[in-house]
Amino acid sequence: MTDQQAPAPSCPSSPDVWSSVDALWTWLDGDRPHGGREGLLLRILKLSEEVGEVAQAVIGVTGQNPRKGVTHTWEDVQGELCDVVITALVALRTLTPDAREVFTRHLERVTARSLGASAPPARRT
């Protein structure tokens, strides 16, 4: 774990991220046992499962469970956080084919609200 400033990521706006999200969405939609509203709700609920795995990894990296001890690494936590992001983007894609634009607009609003005048200008891709 580090407190260093990470370089500005190119994702999730980069085309490779969104093409991967579309490919995952297509794959999942092609083989889902529940469709319609139920399928949509289950896809969104999958986020809760993934967030639970983040919590499990954090508990494991800190050795918080005395019965189990240290069972995870910070790299495990990073991977689980990535799973949350991927699952959220696929769920957003399930709600709208315009997921990229919806996400970009929302990120711009959150950035402007949070950083105000110090917010970096949005990149258009």
Side-chain angles (χ1 to χ4, degrees), residues 11-12 17 20-21 24 27-28 43-57 72 74-92:
C11 64
V17 169
S20 295
V21 167
L24 289 166
W27 171 68
L28 288 168
R43 176 87 34 96
I44 293 170
L45 284 175
K46 178 72 173 155
L47 275 168
S48 294
E49 179 185 7
E50 295 298 341
V51 169
E53 291 176 13
V54 171
Q56 182 180 20
H72 291 75
W74 285 111
E75 289 77 20
D76 294 328
V77 175
Q78 292 171 9
E80 296 299 344
L81 287 168
C82 288
D83 287 347
V84 169
V85 172
I86 293 164
T87 303
L89 292 176
V90 171
L92 180 60

Side-chain angles (χ1 to χ4, degrees), residues 9-125:
S10 61
C11 64
S13 303
S14 64
D16 56 319
V17 169
W18 290 104
S19 61
S20 295
V21 167
D22 282 338
L24 289 166
W25 172 79
T26 299
W27 171 68
L28 288 168
D29 260 26
D31 190 30
R32 64 181 181 166
H34 302 282
R37 186 179 178 128
E38 183 179 15
L40 171 64
L41 295 175
L42 289 169
R43 176 87 34 96
I44 293 170
L45 284 175
K46 178 72 173 155
L47 275 168
S48 294
E49 179 185 7
E50 295 298 341
V51 169
E53 291 176 13
V54 171
Q56 182 180 20
V58 170
I59 289 168
V61 82
T62 60
Q64 198 59 32
N65 183 336
R67 185 175 54 82
K68 294 181 179 179
V70 175
T71 59
H72 291 75
T73 66
W74 285 111
E75 289 77 20
D76 294 328
V77 175
Q78 292 171 9
E80 296 299 344
L81 287 168
C82 288
D83 287 347
V84 169
V85 172
I86 293 164
T87 303
L89 292 176
V90 171
L92 180 60
R93 174 59 184 87
T94 302
L95 284 172
T96 176
D98 299 324
R100 179 181 183 153
E101 292 78 19
V102 169
F103 180 82
T104 300
R105 281 193 313 269
H106 189 76
L107 181 60
E108 288 170 355
R109 285 192 302 269
V110 169
T111 302
R113 179 180 70 224
S114 299
L115 302 179
S118 66
R123 289 186 326 161
R124 296 288 178 203
T125 54

